[in-house]
Amino acid sequence: MKNMINEEIIQGRVFSCDLAEKVVKNEKSNDFGKNYINGKLNIAIDEDGLNVIPVDFIYVKPETAKGNPNRTYAALKQIMNGKTWETDGKDEALKVKVTASLGVNDFVSRNDNKIVSAKVNSGSFVNIISSLPSVESNERNKFTVDILITKTTRIEADPEKHIDKDYMKIHGAVFDFRKTLMPVDLIVRNENGIDSFESMDISNSNPVFLKVWGQINCETKEIVKEEESSWGENCVTTFTSSSKEWVVTGVSALPYEFGDEAVLTVEELTKLTQDREIHLAEVQKNHEEWVNKNNLNNIVPKSIDDVPEISVSAATEFKF
């Protein structure tokens, strides 16, 4: 299996942060009693504070694996005690450059008890910088990933839903540095790009493996809706709409050879798919144990042994 590409570069002003320094309380951990930083860093990549990208930092230690001081830990400490756009204004806010990856946070929805797989930006490194590239350069919010695409869906324009023009949703799997399979949806808005993907005849049984790149957008927009009156004043309603998209702006000229031992074989993908099913079963089991512990419902936790084994011969269609 190849080394999978999955990188994001996010540069902007610290809009706000919800970072905390904590202590490892698990006595079985090798890091028991040691400090770490956990939380979310929100970065405004535009000049109006309307495109704010959240980055998650799960477990940042003071030292690297080699025992050297961790620069990201030091930078996060400075950010925690520094100025933000939200509290001190745009001009006073710290400027940062973050290296991250596209990840997935799997959790069980309390509304319908089903698993939700939400895309997240998983932070790896942080640097405090003195200047930012121009917004027009598209260098503030870019991503590059290898994605095995199994489905494409054209979404048609719909003024009632505030969809100005057709776009495409591409569904597939990306991979982290551990080569964990993570299902994601990306967006294509370029008309030539939409036509190109439609011509590939992509399906669960005919996946296409590509390197793609584009822009991350987490925008807040004000939408004005006006309803005409037969007499008197029109009814004007204003509301705020938020969106989070990974928009593909380019793809490699040639796809990877899916099935090649140097790229990704059917056997390897089958194993990764099975591993994901086991992971999701564990997520469901942990949730149900938590529900029972807190007397919120009378649910018998499922066992991860209930996950069906997927044979290579049966894996002619990859669904994730």
Side-chain angles (χ1 to χ4, degrees), residues 15-33:
F15 188 84
S16 63
C17 70
D18 183 19
L19 298 166
E21 191 172 31
K22 301 179 181 180
V23 177
V24 178
K25 296 181 179 180
N26 182 0
E27 295 181 358
K28 296 181 180 180
S29 171
N30 293 331
D31 294 330
F32 174 66

Side-chain angles (χ1 to χ4, degrees), residues 26-264:
N26 182 0
E27 295 181 358
K28 296 181 180 180
S29 171
N30 293 331
D31 294 330
F32 174 66
K34 295 182 180 180
N35 291 347
Y36 70 98
I37 291 177
N38 166 271
K40 193 180 298 289
L41 177 60
N42 299 304
I43 304 169
I45 59 96
D46 65 335
E47 295 298 316
D48 299 313
L50 298 176
N51 196 346
V52 180
I53 298 176
V55 182
D56 291 341
F57 290 89
I58 304 302
Y59 188 73
V60 182
K61 300 195 294 185
E63 297 179 343
T64 66
K66 295 182 178 180
N68 299 319
N70 187 344
R71 293 180 181 179
T72 293
Y73 189 91
L76 291 177
K77 285 273 286 186
Q78 186 175 344
I79 291 167
M80 289 166 59
N81 299 313
K83 295 182 177 180
T84 71
W85 187 322
E86 188 175 61
T87 59
D88 303 284
K90 170 184 173 180
D91 294 337
E92 295 295 321
L94 288 172
K95 301 181 182 71
V96 293
K97 178 180 180 179
V98 174
T99 301
S101 60
L102 173 54
V104 171
N105 177 30
D106 299 305
F107 62 93
V108 178
S109 170
R110 297 185 184 182
N111 295 327
D112 55 12
N113 205 41
K114 293 183 179 179
I115 291 181
V116 176
S117 299
K119 294 191 296 295
V120 295
N121 306 296
S122 299
S124 300
F125 306 104
V126 183
N127 289 302
I128 295 173
I129 56 180
S130 58
S131 62
L132 295 169
S134 67
V135 174
E136 294 74 21
S137 69
N138 291 327
E139 292 294 316
R140 296 190 184 187
N141 57 332
K142 61 184 183 179
F143 74 91
T144 306
V145 296
D146 289 335
I147 178 170
L148 183 71
I149 307 169
T150 57
K151 182 180 180 181
T152 63
T153 305
R154 179 188 282 265
I155 310 297
E156 296 183 348
D158 186 342
E160 288 293 320
K161 296 181 179 179
H162 304 284
I163 302 174
D164 298 330
K165 58 186 298 187
D166 289 9
Y167 69 92
M168 174 169 282
K169 184 182 293 184
I170 61 175
H171 177 79
V174 298
F175 308 85
D176 63 14
F177 70 95
R178 298 185 185 90
K179 298 180 180 177
T180 304
L181 182 150
M182 300 175 292
V184 299
D185 290 329
L186 307 180
I187 299 297
V188 182
R189 297 195 179 278
N190 183 286
E191 292 182 7
N192 292 332
I194 294 173
D195 292 341
S196 176
F197 278 112
E198 285 186 331
S199 70
M200 295 180 191
D201 193 28
I202 297 171
S203 67
N204 290 324
S205 57
N206 183 41
V208 174
F209 197 15
L210 287 167
K211 174 183 174 181
V212 305
W213 52 88
Q215 311 299 133
I216 310 164
N217 292 311
C218 297
E219 295 182 293
T220 300
K221 296 180 180 180
E222 186 177 89
I223 297 176
V224 178
K225 184 177 181 180
E226 184 171 358
E227 184 177 353
E228 188 176 350
S229 172
S230 61
W231 58 269
E233 295 181 353
N234 292 343
C235 178
V236 180
T237 306
T238 303
F239 60 94
T240 300
S241 174
S242 299
S243 63
K244 183 186 292 186
E245 297 180 340
W246 281 252
V247 181
V248 176
T249 59
V251 303
S252 54
L254 295 174
Y256 296 118
E257 290 290 340
F258 173 56
D260 190 300
E261 290 186 359
V263 179
L264 178 64

